[in-house]
């Protein structure tokens, strides 16, 4: 769409992060992150991970990925270095899968992968009931693995199976194989402090005693489990790419980015950059770095957003209507759960205050809170190339009609332009946060420079001649599924990195998808501490 109504452009101006503001935000975020790492008790938590996977770990690990909506379990084979297998389309579940950009990869094998939606009743019932259900799901996957081995005539030692867990909720950890749950949120009623590993093992225990479904697994008791590693989704994403990139010799994985309904990042930092209370308890003499769960979107990051005038009236309206106003200001402006609502507020404001419509005249989806989701904008608006076509789609949607209301091309263009402005601002903020974190951790040295105007369309880069590649492992529905969003983030990162101080060794920062990072990262991390012979 090329229609540029001057009045609409002016209306959307508060959402624009121009060249100077982008650089200023990056610098201020870097400084803020350094301060939070050293002083905050609510952000930049150390994990027990002081060394990333080497890429040489081998063996078979049972991996759990427990998110807000789904539970996924699979056996993951760690292939290690030196094995190349050509990826074949449509066979991700049975052959090697990896994050390398080449046609030959050597990283992981998934076997007997299953996924289950987490029912609402499981979220509100007793914790024991949730973990018994998880235990039953584990038994289903383990039983399938055992039966497959029997049918293949293999006599594999199934006495005890190493388990890696990715858990996408707040938890406290002092040891890699132990974690204490914090209040979970996201609709879960669990509020007491529970030992995650013990709860998982307790939920599965009855299946080791032969009390399982004979029709599926036979009467024989299933093997016992041993928790080898527990981590969160951002750290798992980082570890999965660290494993595959080191196996293949492709760059250095330095940051794990989760960008879906929510947003978080994990990064390797010097231990001395943290407050002493955050030092890992099992620190060895040769441990100088630690993977940090940044929680970089919560309220400690608000000052740069306020100082630079990035928070708009629409952000304030969204924030005030939330159950926890002010708690995650950066996330409210960047994450998938909120972008659709911000765009709706922009459109509503323009229709009522600029075009003079009464709220009662508007379609319910425009006038009602949370009626337009980010998924709608991704599926309908971002994929439409011209205003008349978008108007036709909007008129065909029953939620976007209201009696005599008709979407014209001009009105549809307002929706499209608002969506573009909101999403582009999110991409710029994520890029600034990414470069700011890399600067905070010492991977980059960022300083002020005059930038050329940033074009609305991301520019392609020539083939890299950089001597050093820093890889950002990313995962999440927003960055993987929203048309053009990842490319916008990469474009903003490129422009920021292009203006680093000139050095002998040039650096390139690349976004790299870590699909299945929750499963693969948990397995790779478990592989660092578990001696696997299979």
């Amino acid at each position: 769409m090329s229609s540029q109504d001057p009045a609409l452009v002016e209306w959307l101006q508060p959402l624009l992060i121009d060249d100077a503001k982008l650089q200023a935000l990056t610098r201020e975020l870097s400084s803020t992150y350094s301060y939070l790492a050293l002083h905050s008790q609510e952000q930049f938590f150390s994990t027990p991970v002081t060394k990333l996977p080497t890429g040489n770990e081998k063996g078979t690990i049972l991996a759990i990925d427990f998110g807000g909506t789904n539970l996924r379990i699979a056996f993951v084979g760690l292939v290690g270095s030196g094995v190349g297998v050509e990826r074949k389309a449509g066979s991700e579940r049975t052959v090697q899968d990896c994050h390398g950009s080449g046609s030959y990869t050597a990283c992981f094998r998934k076997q007997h992968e299953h996924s289950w939606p987490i029912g609402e009743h499981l979220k509100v019932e007793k914790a024991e009931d949730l973990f018994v259900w998880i235990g039953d799901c584990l038994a289903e996957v383990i039983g399938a693995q055992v039966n497959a081995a029997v049918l293949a005539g293999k006599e594999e030692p199934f006495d005890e199976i190493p388990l890696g867990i990715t858990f996408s909720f707040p938890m406290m950890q002092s040891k890699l194989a132990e974690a204490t749950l914090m209040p979970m949120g996201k609709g879960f009623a669990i509020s007491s402090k529970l030992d995650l590993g013990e709860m998982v093992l307790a939920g599965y225990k009855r299946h080791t005693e032969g009390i399982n479904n004979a029709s599926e697994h036979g009467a024989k008791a299933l093997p016992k489990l041993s928790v080898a590693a527990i981590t969160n989704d951002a750290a798992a994403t980082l570890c999965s790419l660290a494993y595959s990139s080191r196996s293949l010799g492709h760059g250095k994985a330095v940051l794990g980015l989760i960008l879906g309904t929510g947003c978080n990042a994990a990064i390797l930092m010097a231990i001395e950059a943290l407050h002493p209370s955050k030092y890992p308890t099992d620190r060895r003499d040769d441990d100088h770095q630690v993977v940090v769960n940044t929680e970089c979107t919560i309220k400690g990051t608000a000052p740069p957003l306020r100082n630079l005038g990035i928070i708009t009236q629409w952000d304030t309206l969204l924030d005030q209507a939330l159950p926890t106003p002010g708690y995650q200001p950066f996330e409210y402006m960047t994450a998938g759960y909120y972008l659709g609502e911000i765009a709706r507020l922009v459109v509503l404001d323009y229709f009522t205050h600029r075009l003079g419509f009464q709220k009662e005249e508007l379609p319910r989806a425009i006038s009602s809170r949370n009626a337009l989701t980010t998924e709608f904008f991704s599926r309908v608006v971002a994929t439409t190339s011209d205003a008349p076509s978008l108007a036709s789609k909007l008129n065909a949607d029953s939620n976007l009609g209201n009696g005599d209301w008709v979407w014209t091309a001009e009105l549809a263009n307002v929706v499209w332009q608002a969506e573009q402005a909101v999403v582009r601002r999110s991409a710029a903020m994520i890029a600034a946060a990414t470069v700011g974190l890399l600067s905070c951790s010492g991977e980059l040295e960022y300083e002020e420079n005059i930038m050329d105007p940033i074009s609305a369309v991301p520019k392609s880069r020539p083939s890299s001649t950089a001597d050093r590649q820093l890889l950002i492992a990313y995962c999440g529905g927003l960055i993987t599924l929203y048309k053009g969003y990842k490319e916008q983030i990469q474009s903003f990162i490129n422009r920021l990195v292009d203006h680093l101080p000139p050095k002998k060794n040039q650096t390139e920062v690349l976004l790299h998808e870590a699909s299945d990072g929750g499963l693969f990262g948990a397995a790779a991390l478990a592989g660092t501490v578990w001696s696997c012979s299979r």
Side-chain angles (χ1 to χ4, degrees):
M1 295 188 192
S2 59
S3 177
Q4 293 289 328
D5 179 355
L8 180 56
V9 171
E10 180 183 359
W11 192 265
L12 298 174
Q13 194 69 21
L15 293 167
L16 176 65
I17 296 181
D18 61 17
D19 307 353
K21 191 175 289 187
L22 178 66
Q23 291 189 84
L25 178 60
T26 303
R27 293 192 304 274
E28 288 208 24
L29 284 175
S30 177
S31 177
T32 298
Y33 294 149
S34 296
Y35 177 85
L36 294 171
L38 197 56
H39 299 286
S40 174
Q41 296 300 312
E42 297 181 309
Q43 293 174 265
F44 285 77
F45 302 110
S46 67
T47 70
V49 183
T50 55
K51 289 181 173 59
L52 294 175
T54 65
N56 294 319
E57 295 84 0
K58 294 185 179 181
T60 300
I61 306 288
L62 181 62
I64 293 178
D65 183 6
F66 188 96
T69 56
N70 293 292
L71 167 69
R72 298 170 64 221
I73 302 175
F75 278 91
V76 177
L78 302 176
V79 179
S81 301
V83 181
V85 175
E86 188 171 2
R87 173 183 283 181
K88 300 181 186 296
S91 58
E92 294 88 355
R93 295 179 182 272
T94 57
V95 301
Q96 278 94 333
D97 197 1
C98 195
H99 319 311
S101 59
S103 60
Y104 286 85
T105 60
C107 303
F108 307 101
R109 287 191 182 95
K110 277 191 296 184
Q111 295 178 319
H112 305 294
E113 179 188 4
H114 285 66
S115 178
W116 302 263
I118 302 170
E120 293 300 317
H121 66 286
L122 293 169
K123 297 181 180 181
V124 299
E125 291 177 356
K126 295 186 301 182
E128 290 78 5
D129 295 332
L130 172 64
F131 285 97
V132 165
W133 174 74
I134 293 174
D136 291 343
C137 295
L138 282 165
E140 184 176 341
V141 173
I142 295 169
Q145 178 83 339
V146 171
N147 289 340
V150 171
L151 290 174
K154 297 179 181 179
E155 296 183 1
E156 298 197 38
F158 281 115
D159 292 339
E160 192 172 64
I161 298 173
L163 178 65
I165 301 173
T166 292
F167 202 74
S168 303
F169 294 88
M171 54 188 174
M172 297 186 301
Q173 278 190 275
S174 59
K175 296 183 179 180
L176 186 59
E178 299 176 7
T180 301
L181 291 182
M182 305 299 289
M184 291 173 62
K186 299 182 183 178
F188 286 84
I190 295 177
S191 58
S192 56
K193 295 182 179 180
L194 300 172
D195 186 306
L196 176 58
E198 287 187 2
M199 293 297 291
V200 170
L201 295 179
Y204 172 74
K205 183 179 179 182
R206 66 194 184 100
H207 296 281
T208 68
E209 299 168 345
I211 310 172
N212 46 307
N213 191 328
S215 65
E216 291 187 17
H217 315 307
K220 185 179 179 181
L222 293 178
K224 294 182 179 180
L225 298 176
S226 177
V227 178
I230 300 173
T231 190
N232 72 2
D233 51 356
T237 300
L238 172 59
C239 288
S240 70
L241 187 59
Y243 182 89
S244 60
S245 63
R246 291 184 179 187
S247 288
L248 301 170
H250 290 170
K252 176 185 179 184
V254 291
L255 188 147
L257 176 65
I258 301 297
L259 198 48
T261 55
C263 178
N264 193 22
I267 192 166
L268 200 64
M269 294 185 66
I271 294 175
E272 286 71 20
L274 304 174
H275 188 276
S277 66
K278 301 179 184 180
Y279 289 179
T281 55
D282 284 350
R283 180 183 181 184
R284 298 183 297 270
D285 290 341
D286 62 341
D287 289 336
H288 304 295
Q289 291 184 305
V290 64
V291 173
V292 172
N293 173 27
T294 65
E295 296 293 348
C296 59
T297 67
I298 66 175
K299 56 188 177 183
T301 51
L305 305 180
R306 288 196 296 264
N307 296 342
L308 296 170
I310 294 175
I311 299 174
T312 69
Q313 59 183 328
W314 307 302
D315 300 309
T316 300
L317 287 171
L318 179 141
D319 181 86
Q320 291 172 345
L322 292 170
T324 54
Y327 180 62
Q328 290 180 297
F330 197 97
E331 179 161 311
Y332 299 159
M333 299 165 72
T334 57
Y337 190 83
Y338 308 101
L339 295 184
E341 176 65 1
I342 297 174
R344 185 196 69 83
L345 289 168
V346 174
V347 173
L348 173 63
D349 200 16
Y350 189 80
F351 279 3
T352 55
H353 290 92
R354 182 74 190 190
L355 299 184
F357 288 105
Q358 296 298 310
K359 190 173 181 180
E360 295 74 20
E361 298 179 79
L362 301 174
R364 184 195 64 82
I366 299 297
S367 60
S368 300
R369 180 171 176 258
N370 293 328
L372 286 184
T373 64
T374 305
E375 187 275 334
F376 166 82
F377 281 100
S378 173
R379 175 174 49 85
V380 176
V381 181
T383 57
T384 307
S385 59
D386 62 89
S389 296
L390 180 57
S392 296
K393 290 183 179 180
L394 298 180
N395 283 318
D397 191 321
S398 59
N399 291 324
L400 288 161
N402 184 18
D404 296 330
W405 179 270
V406 176
W407 286 98
T408 64
E410 290 74 20
L411 294 174
N413 184 56
V414 174
V415 175
W416 189 84
Q417 295 288 352
E419 175 267 342
Q420 287 288 294
V422 168
V423 170
R424 189 161 183 271
R425 182 187 67 163
S426 170
M429 292 175 65
I430 293 297
T434 299
V435 176
L437 284 169
L438 294 178
S439 175
C440 164
S441 69
E443 290 289 352
L444 292 177
E445 182 182 341
Y446 190 75
E447 66 177 24
E448 183 174 4
N449 263 291
I450 302 299
M451 294 175 68
D452 297 328
I454 300 175
S455 63
V457 179
K459 296 179 180 178
S460 60
R461 287 188 115 196
S463 300
S464 172
T465 57
D467 297 311
R468 184 168 175 255
Q469 283 190 347
L470 302 181
L471 305 180
I472 309 302
Y474 71 82
C475 192
L478 180 63
I479 191 170
T480 57
L481 300 177
Y482 205 110
K483 182 180 179 181
Y485 182 64
K486 182 203 75 174
E487 289 75 16
Q488 290 194 63
I489 297 173
Q490 184 67 69
S491 178
F492 282 119
I493 289 175
N494 291 347
R495 300 191 69 82
L496 288 167
V497 174
D498 283 347
H499 290 273
L500 292 170
K503 291 185 176 181
K504 182 178 180 180
N505 293 325
Q506 297 301 306
T507 300
E508 185 175 37
V509 177
L510 297 176
L511 292 169
H512 229 279
E513 184 176 3
S515 59
D516 291 322
L519 289 175
F520 293 161
L525 199 52
T528 65
V529 295
W530 188 272
S531 177
C532 303
S533 59
R534 289 172 290 145

